[in-house]
Amino acid sequence: MNVPSRTSVPDAPSADEDVHDGLVIARSLHDPEQFAVVFRRHAPQIQRYVVRRIGSDAADDVVAETFLTAFRQRSSYRLDLSDARPWLYGIATNLIGRHRRMEIRQYRALARTGIDPVTEPFTDLVDARVTAASASTRLAAALMKLPAAHRDVLLLMAWGDLSYEEAAAALGVPVGTVRSRLSRARTKVRQALGDPGANDARGDQS
Amino acid sequence: MNEMDELRRLREDVPASLPVTHAETALLTAMRAEATAPAAHGTRFAPGRAAPAPTRHRLRLALAGGLSLAAAAGLTAAVVIPGSGALPTSSPEVRELAYRAAAAASKQANVPANHWVYWQEQQGSGAKARKWQVWTTADGQKAAYRYHGKVHFVQDPTHKVTFLPDGQIIGQPVISIIGPPHGAVAIVTLGGKIPIRYNQLSKLPGEPHALVDYLGQLPMPGWGKPAARAFAVITELIQTYVMPPKLTAELYKALADIPGVTVDKHAIDLAGRPGVGFEFGAAHGEKQQLVLDPHSYRLMAVQLVRDQRGPDGHVVFDGGTAILRMALVKGAGVLP
């Protein structure tokens, strides 16, 4: 039996790397292994996003489930969409919702101690953690208090680099809802960072 | 610097290229399974669903006329691997089943150590099948069973017996009722030396490779090579304790890291129910099976089956326990 490598992304079949995600997914409907191209393109970004939200321990399962879900639901993907990232981030964000308590607990730990349990495995220098602590603790405290839907929008845009439209597609809500949630979330974060003008909420994406 | 920039800096220490091995394996398996599946009857595992009840079990009843106590011990003890060559690495099918079982297990509710659990189980198969009602606490420290209409408590589950042939059974009590089905003699024997007690579970290594290494190195003379020991102990823990969901999930994941473990996608438990099973070769033309529900991935049975089917084409069972029902109850003797 052919055993896959434990350390490498699965071999992508001969799909043209320039072919956009929609066409790759279309091909995968007849040739399932074509879906490896989608995995290879986006798994690292999704993994990093999930790890930043809930830590590496739980992220493995969430990322695996994200791509399994995407693979099983690929027949419902709109094949004219060239970028599968919003779709994948949406699935991942839904799955992250199952770990909300853990996510909050980790923000709380960071807010209280200045040491981030999420980044600790990747950081050797205690000094570096402490240096970054002052802003991080305030951000963590703010994230902890945000409504989940607002936090999802904020972090999809900050950590997932999604646009308004992409975040709306990921979450299955109107763009106006995304703008509104982002605006409120940013206001809260600004307040936490000590901006006296934070009540003057802006909706710009920067 | 505005708040979005500050947010982007938060946790930027997380590397951009982390291993995605777990996801890779799961997806690769699913892709290949679909690619090779017959159109009408796919070989993919059914999608995982949250199981309504915990997935673990603990107590075995060994019957005269069914399993002897020694045979019950042999269910997990006789796992010496023939030959000394290297065993094959676990296949993608094993990893997928391990992943799905772990995912289902991790969704279960946490059961306090002293909470009572009711089990309806079947020993033996065919004409020799007997059903039992058993109650235990989640930590296995208290146990009871119904026999001839009366509930009997196991007084001292940690008492060591001295007359077991190999001197050691891991896990919680093994009860042997000796005598014909309606005989007058009922003897309860308790085994034995437990290498991992419930209160030690939290100290087990959390990473699957490390867990397998640790379990394989437990001092268990006569239990075969490290892979055999690891499979046996994991099987025993899963059927013995009602463990914290995360630990149960880790144990299922660890099965995929044991060389020589295979999957039977069309397993049949000794109650005749279809399932999916982890398998590990035992001695004497037999194999151990940990059979799971193909939809919920709840534990259905732990059994010892022959490598070769019988003349009628049916699976030949040499022992084991099928779990017919499990429920949390308020105490021993209480039915759900």
Side-chain angles (χ1 to χ4, degrees), chain B residues 36-230:
Chain B
T36 58
H41 302 288
T43 57
R44 293 167 59 192
F45 297 119
R49 294 197 295 267
T55 61
R56 300 153 286 273
H57 186 45
R58 37 54 18 255
L59 186 65
R60 295 168 294 167
L61 293 168
L63 304 181
L67 282 175
S68 69
L69 182 58
L75 176 62
T76 49
V79 291
V80 179
I81 307 164
S84 58
L87 290 166
T89 304
S90 294
S91 68
E93 287 81 5
V94 175
R95 294 179 200 168
E96 177 169 3
L97 180 57
Y99 163 77
R100 292 191 180 284
S106 65
K107 294 171 187 168
Q108 303 306 313
N110 195 44
V111 179
N114 61 353
H115 201 104
W116 282 94
V117 183
Y118 166 83
W119 314 85
Q120 186 182 35
E121 58 190 34
Q122 177 178 322
Q123 297 285 327
S125 60
K128 296 179 179 177
R130 288 285 304 273
K131 292 180 181 176
W132 292 90
Q133 292 176 316
V134 179
W135 293 262
T136 71
T137 50
D139 62 3
Q141 291 303 300
K142 296 178 183 175
Y145 60 97
R146 187 186 298 277
Y147 184 62
H148 284 185
K150 293 180 66 177
V151 175
H152 302 264
F153 281 83
V154 179
Q155 297 300 326
D156 183 6
T158 59
H159 176 71
K160 294 179 182 177
V161 289
T162 56
F163 55 85
L164 293 177
D166 295 318
Q168 181 165 287
I169 294 177
I170 64 167
Q172 292 301 322
V174 174
I175 302 174
S176 178
I177 298 175
I178 299 173
H182 304 291
V185 180
I187 300 174
V188 176
T189 55
L190 305 167
K193 186 176 179 181
I194 304 171
I196 303 172
R197 293 181 178 276
Y198 183 90
N199 59 11
Q200 296 172 324
L201 293 173
S202 61
K203 297 175 183 174
L204 290 174
E207 194 274 325
H209 276 304
L211 184 58
V212 169
D213 287 345
Y214 175 83
L215 298 178
Q217 297 305 317
L218 286 173
M220 298 162 60
W223 285 71
K225 295 179 183 298
R229 297 184 196 187

Side-chain angles (χ1 to χ4, degrees), chain A:
Chain A
M1 181 172 293
N2 185 18
V3 178
S5 161
R6 293 185 61 83
T7 57
S8 63
V9 181
D11 295 337
S14 56
D16 184 346
E17 288 297 311
D18 293 327
V19 173
H20 73 62
D21 287 342
L23 288 177
V24 172
I25 292 170
R27 289 177 178 177
S28 78
L29 294 174
H30 303 288
D31 179 4
E33 296 196 19
Q34 293 286 336
F35 201 79
V37 175
V38 177
F39 181 88
R40 193 168 68 185
R41 285 177 181 173
H42 303 300
Q45 291 172 279
I46 298 292
Q47 173 91 352
R48 187 171 191 240
Y49 168 74
V50 176
V51 170
R52 287 175 89 173
R53 290 206 56 174
I54 59 175
S56 53
D57 283 351
D60 283 353
D61 284 349
V62 168
V63 174
E65 192 66 30
T66 296
F67 281 92
L68 282 175
T69 301
F71 178 69
R72 292 194 203 100
Q73 296 180 353
R74 69 193 190 282
S75 61
S76 63
Y77 184 81
R78 271 184 49 195
L79 301 178
D80 59 324
L81 297 177
S82 60
D83 186 354
R85 284 186 316 130
W87 178 51
L88 296 169
Y89 274 110
I91 295 170
T93 301
N94 274 338
L95 295 170
I96 286 170
R98 299 179 185 173
H99 300 269
R100 190 163 294 144
R101 285 184 181 175
M102 180 194 301
E103 184 181 18
I104 298 298
R105 197 161 54 239
Q106 289 168 338
Y107 291 139
R108 183 176 294 121
L110 172 56
R112 286 180 177 173
T113 67
I115 296 175
D116 191 346
V118 168
T119 58
E120 197 170 27
F122 312 109
T123 311
D124 292 326
L125 301 174
V126 174
D127 289 346
R129 293 201 302 265
V130 174
T131 302
S134 60
S136 298
T137 54
R138 290 198 293 268
L139 285 170
L143 289 172
M144 181 177 74
K145 294 173 185 171
L146 285 178
H150 295 190
R151 186 168 53 246
D152 285 343
V153 168
L154 185 67
L155 296 182
L156 277 172
M157 299 183 76
W159 291 348
D161 286 329
L162 298 190
S163 65
Y164 286 116
E165 291 75 16
E166 288 170 335
L171 298 172
V173 299
V175 173
T177 302
V178 168
R179 289 184 184 278
S180 167
R181 290 176 183 174
L182 180 68
S183 174
R184 294 179 187 182
R186 290 184 64 172
T187 299
K188 296 286 187 186
V189 172
R190 275 200 300 274
Q191 287 174 341
L193 291 174
D195 182 349
N199 289 329
D200 179 20
R202 299 187 301 270
D204 60 314
Q205 184 188 348
S206 55

